[in-house]
Amino acid sequence: SQTIHQWPATLVQPVGSPLSLECTVEGTSNPNLYWYRQAAGRGLQLLFYSVGIGQISSEVPQNLSASRPQDRQFILSSKKLLLSDSGFYLCAWTQVGGSPLHFGNGTRLTVT
Amino acid sequence: DQQVKQNSPSLSVQEGRISILNCDYTNSMFDYFLWYKKYPAEGPTFLISISSIKDKNEDGRFTVFLNKSAKHLSLHIVPSQPGDSAVYFCAASAYPSNTGKLIFGQGTTLQVKP
């Protein structure tokens, strides 16, 4: 069966510091990968998605970037965090050809 | 511009009764709708989905209804159980080839009282 791993579970970072969140999927190949964010009291917003290695689509302008160095690895990064980057970050995947989106357990990021 | 709206932030029902969660959308290009359930500090879990060519889909205690003319969908949980207490998100997609590209509502917190 397929599983998705996301770490760390919680992170507290000062303003201006870098960020790297990692996500890996097991039990499938060539998945579509996604980064979503849930800000406090809001719904989930799509940040980035990737349909293959090195292929990244950005959905909203922001202080973040994403990379996909391997088929089942997806990384969310920032060079300098802002207070507004605080939120709950979720990695997710689907099978190519259509399937429901499946989420990891998320990372709670607090920028202080 | 909020394309998917869940106008009820919270809902409280008694165990054994029906829970009805509602969702409205504005984009007529949406053709695939989903409901997710989320517990605190966890990622959302897929519950049930419906294609725009259907008006009803049922899976055990969960039924999703779609009214395309009203641009409205609802999730019925019968009977409700205390373990159903969670935040429920509806989501919609206009991309058949990219079903992970979703627009989510703000969520409704369901509390099922024993």
Side-chain angles (χ1 to χ4, degrees):
Chain A
S1 65
Q2 301 91 354
T3 56
I4 179 168
H5 302 280
Q6 188 180 343
W7 66 93
T10 59
L11 190 59
V12 180
Q13 293 283 99
V15 169
S17 63
L19 172 74
S20 180
L21 301 181
E22 191 166 339
C23 168
T24 59
V25 180
E26 295 179 357
T28 187
S29 60
N30 196 29
N32 287 346
L33 298 174
Y34 304 82
W35 280 109
Y36 277 82
R37 176 173 63 195
Q38 184 184 16
R42 308 278 302 271
L44 286 75
Q45 182 183 34
L46 178 61
L47 302 177
F48 300 95
Y49 70 91
S50 171
V51 299
I53 295 174
Q55 301 180 59
I56 306 295
S57 296
S58 174
E59 290 295 296
V60 293
Q62 59 203 308
N63 183 42
L64 302 167
S65 62
S67 61
R68 185 171 177 174
Q70 300 180 42
D71 181 44
R72 290 170 290 172
Q73 184 185 29
F74 206 22
I75 297 172
L76 184 69
S77 304
S78 173
K79 291 182 180 178
K80 288 185 178 182
L81 284 169
L82 305 172
L83 286 174
S84 57
D85 292 325
S86 293
F88 191 49
Y89 288 84
L90 291 150
C91 183
W93 71 276
T94 64
Q95 289 281 16
V96 174
S99 71
L101 192 64
H102 298 281
F103 288 91
N105 277 331
T107 295
R108 172 72 59 191
L109 172 66
T110 303
V111 182
T112 61
Chain B
D1 177 28
Q2 212 164 355
Q3 300 183 65
V4 178
K5 294 183 181 180
Q6 294 176 254
N7 292 316
S8 297
S10 63
L11 175 68
S12 181
V13 300
Q14 287 296 132
E15 180 179 5
R17 306 294 288 269
I18 184 172
S19 296
I20 300 176
L21 297 101
N22 295 302
C23 181
D24 297 298
Y25 62 95
T26 57
N27 189 343
S28 58
M29 297 300 292
F30 289 147
D31 63 357
Y32 181 53
F33 302 88
L34 309 91
W35 284 94
Y36 283 83
K37 173 181 179 180
K38 183 181 180 303
Y39 293 118
E42 294 184 9
T45 302
F46 168 72
L47 268 179
I48 191 169
S49 63
I50 188 167
S51 164
S52 61
I53 62 174
K54 295 185 175 181
D55 54 19
K56 177 183 174 181
N57 189 26
E58 194 171 353
D59 184 1
R61 295 186 298 114
F62 302 92
T63 303
V64 57
F65 295 91
L66 176 62
N67 182 332
K68 290 184 288 294
S69 61
K71 295 190 175 65
H72 178 84
L73 69 156
S74 61
L75 175 68
H76 292 209
I77 307 174
V78 183
S80 301
Q81 300 173 354
D84 295 329
S85 298
V87 179
Y88 288 79
F89 291 97
C90 68
S93 172
Y95 304 93
S97 61
N98 189 349
T99 53
K101 195 172 175 182
L102 300 175
I103 304 294
F104 281 84
Q106 314 95 299
T108 296
T109 300
L110 173 66
Q111 182 185 26
V112 180
K113 298 180 179 179

